[in-house]
Amino acid sequence: MKKFVIGIFVLSFNWVWSQENIQIQKLSEPQTFYIASRTNLNGGKSRVCKYIALPENTVKWGFSISTNKAKGGQTVTNNLNLLSQTIGNLDSNITSTKEISVPQGDSFIQTFIVDKKNRDLFLSQNSISDWKIKDPVKSLHYLGEGLLDQVKQGIAFITEETTGSWYLCMRNPDRLYGINANVETIAYVSSNQDTIVNKIEAQSVLSKEVDELTALQNESINYWIKKDHKKAKKVYKEYRSKGGNNQTYKTVLEKAIQTHQIDDKKIKRFLKKL
């Protein structure tokens, strides 16, 4: 009974105070962003950015996202429940995302976490030019942990940068259909910075390694999609040197080829060698 009463108090005030002096704070209410198609046939922008201001003593932060086609109907925003799910997992493992569910989406999206300078660069490639340029994020510098590439739903946590202001930038890669992107953001905030940072660093080594491998995998596959074979192979070698799983990489690459309807002899030869 005591735990239930505490849980109601937590959700009412959007945070939880654990025995380890960590608060989970909701950075904003769940929001829905309309993102137009790459050709903008119905108006709007194919790239949008959400401003995120991190509280002092943030040790980890992140977001969940789910998409649905923009048909003017019901969205899934109210079902994200990232805050309540992370509160439920705080005492068991503050770095785990396995128990956090995200509503199934139905449209692809790309996300990038960037600073103001790179937000301006990201938005400058909006409108019709977005479907003409070969590299949709040319020269963009972003945090690897916040990259979700060609997903319909997902969750990302960031530990590499935990101070200041950032932007969650989202891009709709579809040429014809607009989408609704449903987003919720949270932060893990410490009231005892030195103690909690040490604890998180000790517990999150594996999590960071997995995030880094995922970022390398996605980067390499992006190069395959752009038919930049040299860069794709170079990043793949780095991915493998850091312990990346060959079968996982092959599966994701094959799915990307199918999704983008790519017919490339060099990629086919590469796949046969995996």
Side-chain angles (χ1 to χ4, degrees), residues 165-201:
S165 300
W166 296 88
Y167 295 86
L168 168 59
C169 292
M170 298 164 279
R171 175 179 179 269
N172 177 8
D174 198 291
R175 292 190 177 186
L176 299 177
Y177 299 102
I179 62 173
N180 289 314
N182 308 291
V183 180
E184 184 176 350
T185 55
I186 63 167
Y188 289 70
V189 183
S190 167
S191 62
N192 187 348
Q193 183 72 3
D194 292 337
T195 300
I196 301 306
V197 167
N198 289 337
K199 179 179 177 65
I200 287 181
E201 287 178 348

Side-chain angles (χ1 to χ4, degrees), residues 6-234:
I6 291 175
I8 295 299
F9 179 85
V10 164
L11 292 177
S12 298
F13 289 88
N14 294 332
W15 58 269
V16 62
W17 191 285
S18 79
Q19 294 179 350
E20 300 295 342
N21 296 322
I22 293 179
Q23 297 173 338
I24 299 183
Q25 181 174 327
K26 182 185 291 186
L27 298 179
S28 66
E29 294 297 324
Q31 294 173 279
T32 299
F33 297 86
Y34 172 70
I35 311 177
S37 66
R38 289 166 60 188
T39 49
N40 303 292
L41 296 178
N42 296 317
K45 297 179 179 180
S46 59
R47 299 173 180 228
V48 300
C49 294
K50 170 181 170 57
Y51 175 72
I52 298 174
L54 298 179
E56 186 177 358
N57 293 335
T58 294
V59 293
K60 183 173 73 167
W61 57 286
F63 64 92
S64 62
I65 188 168
S66 181
T67 64
N68 61 304
K69 286 186 173 63
K71 298 178 180 179
Q74 183 179 3
T75 68
V76 297
T77 308
N78 294 331
N79 297 326
L80 288 172
N81 295 326
L82 179 60
L83 176 70
S84 59
Q85 291 186 77
T86 49
I87 287 174
N89 283 279
L90 180 61
D91 291 333
S92 59
N93 186 342
I94 60 175
T95 63
S96 174
T97 61
K98 293 181 180 179
E99 301 302 320
I100 299 175
S101 62
V102 182
Q104 180 70 41
D106 62 15
S107 302
F108 288 107
I109 194 171
Q110 294 173 307
T111 71
F112 308 89
I113 299 294
V114 301
D115 59 16
K116 186 179 185 304
K117 178 180 178 180
N118 283 280
R119 180 211 63 169
D120 295 342
L121 173 61
F122 180 84
L123 294 178
S124 70
Q125 297 175 340
N126 211 334
S127 193
I128 294 296
S129 62
D130 194 28
W131 63 273
K132 289 184 177 179
I133 57 178
K134 293 182 179 180
D135 186 351
V137 288
K138 186 177 182 181
S139 303
L140 189 72
H141 294 281
Y142 52 87
L143 302 184
E145 291 177 324
L147 173 66
L148 297 178
D149 187 30
Q150 301 289 349
V151 302
K152 296 181 179 180
Q153 70 282 326
I155 182 170
F157 282 113
I158 293 91
T159 58
E160 56 188 301
E161 293 287 353
T162 56
T163 60
S165 300
W166 296 88
Y167 295 86
L168 168 59
C169 292
M170 298 164 279
R171 175 179 179 269
N172 177 8
D174 198 291
R175 292 190 177 186
L176 299 177
Y177 299 102
I179 62 173
N180 289 314
N182 308 291
V183 180
E184 184 176 350
T185 55
I186 63 167
Y188 289 70
V189 183
S190 167
S191 62
N192 187 348
Q193 183 72 3
D194 292 337
T195 300
I196 301 306
V197 167
N198 289 337
K199 179 179 177 65
I200 287 181
E201 287 178 348
Q203 292 185 344
S204 64
V205 173
L206 178 59
S207 177
K208 286 184 178 180
E209 289 177 353
V210 172
D211 288 341
E212 181 181 8
L213 289 173
T214 301
L216 287 171
Q217 170 190 276
N218 291 340
E219 183 181 358
S220 177
I221 289 173
N222 272 339
Y223 283 130
W224 284 120
I225 293 172
K226 299 167 190 173
K227 297 186 178 181
D228 192 337
H229 305 113
K230 289 184 179 179
K231 288 184 179 180
K233 290 179 180 179
K234 181 180 179 181

